[in-house]
């Protein structure tokens, strides 16, 4: 099974400042088609999770451009260029290689300082 | 617009079977074009992927739940189903259903609102 490890697990942020979350997988998520099968999700309080980034670096429709995803293979990063108050919640990475079972990272709780 | 809605009992007794359904609108679940997943979030913990139904008939389950879970579809009702057997208090969680995006645009693109299921005598 692929293990997903996020860091940090808690991230106090200041509005207007950048923020970054790391996600590492125990096996490469780069498939032979050139795509990294890694998504990022945000679960805001009282809401279902929402897709932010798919295939490592593609923003989902409606996601503000202050969110960006990068990385390849086993190391991935989610960046928020300027945090806003509405960005609080728990961020999860998840791999979805089609050849195996899927797993989430532990989650990173982002809160305003 | 694709919409999903979970339904089922909010309280299940230990050792019984938890059975949930996910009603789908805006898409035909029988098309076989997408993955349809169940995910849960135990109270105070993170998200856990339970399993999926895909390619019109294949299933894939989390190794930790594989011996107790069955995911299926009912094309006549346009529903996704989850059966989790021999439940314990550790299965208390908010359960979500989700559908993948077009052409791999997100494994879990559309989500239901979630249903809290409590396992208690």
């Amino acid at each position: 099974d692929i293990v997903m490890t996020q860091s940090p697990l808690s991230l106090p942020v200041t509005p207007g400042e950048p923020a970054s979350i790391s996600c590492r997988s125990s096996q490469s998520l780069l498939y032979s088609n050139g795509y990294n099968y890694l998504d990022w999700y945000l679960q805001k309080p009282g809401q279902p999770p929402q897709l932010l980034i798919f295939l490592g670096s593609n923003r989902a429709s409606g996601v503000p451009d202050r969110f960006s995803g990068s990385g390849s293979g086993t190391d991935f990063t989610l960046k928020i260029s300027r945090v806003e108050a509405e960005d609080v919640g728990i961020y999860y990475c998840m791999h979805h290689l089609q050849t195996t079972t899927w797993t989430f990272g532990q989650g990173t709780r982002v809160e305003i300082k | 617009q694709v919409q999903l809605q979970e339904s089922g009992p909010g309280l299940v007794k230990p050792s019984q079977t938890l059975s949930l359904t996910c009603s789908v609108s805006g898409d035909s679940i029988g098309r076989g074009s997408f993955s349809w997943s169940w995910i849960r979030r135990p109270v105070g913990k993170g998200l856990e992927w339970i399993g999926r139904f895909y390619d019109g008939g294949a299933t894939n389950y989390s190794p930790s739940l594989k011996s107790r879970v069955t995911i299926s579809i009912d094309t006549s009702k346009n529903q996704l189903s989850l059966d989790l057997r021999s439940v314990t208090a550790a299965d208390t969680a908010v359960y979500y259903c989700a559908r993948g995006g077009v052409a791999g645009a997100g494994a879990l693109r559309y989500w239901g609102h979630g249903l809290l299921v409590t396992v208690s005598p």
Side-chain angles (χ1 to χ4, degrees), chain B residues 1-12:
Chain B
Q1 176 75 345
V2 178
Q3 293 186 321
L4 297 86
Q5 179 67 58
E6 302 89 350
S7 61
L11 181 65
V12 181

Side-chain angles (χ1 to χ4, degrees), chain B:
Chain B
Q1 176 75 345
V2 178
Q3 293 186 321
L4 297 86
Q5 179 67 58
E6 302 89 350
S7 61
L11 181 65
V12 181
K13 294 186 186 319
S15 80
Q16 293 188 341
T17 296
L18 181 163
S19 294
L20 301 179
T21 58
C22 172
S23 297
V24 178
S25 60
D27 189 17
S28 173
I29 200 169
R31 276 203 297 163
S33 303
F34 303 103
S35 284
W36 299 87
S37 290
W38 284 99
I39 305 97
R40 70 181 183 179
R41 184 178 174 190
V43 177
K45 296 187 178 182
L47 296 173
E48 178 181 19
W49 180 79
I50 297 171
R52 64 179 175 134
F53 187 97
Y54 65 107
D55 285 351
T59 54
N60 197 205
Y61 302 125
S62 168
S64 65
L65 297 171
K66 186 175 183 178
S67 64
R68 298 193 291 132
V69 68
T70 301
I71 294 175
S72 59
I73 66 170
D74 184 332
T75 55
S76 65
K77 296 180 179 178
N78 214 31
Q79 290 178 336
L80 177 73
S81 296
L82 170 70
D83 286 327
L84 182 63
R85 297 173 290 279
S86 304
V87 297
T88 69
D91 296 310
T92 295
V94 177
Y95 286 76
Y96 301 95
C97 56
R99 197 208 83 175
V102 174
L108 306 169
R109 173 64 182 88
Y110 300 97
W111 291 72
H113 291 292
L115 181 68
L116 173 62
V117 179
T118 301
V119 179
S120 180

Side-chain angles (χ1 to χ4, degrees), chain A residues 13 19-20 40 44 51 58-59 64 66 71 79 87 96 100:
Chain A
V13 297
S20 178
W40 289 94
K44 296 182 179 182
L51 176 67
N58 300 276
R59 266 192 310 276
R66 64 179 180 274
K79 293 184 179 178
D87 300 336
H96 56 103
T100 184

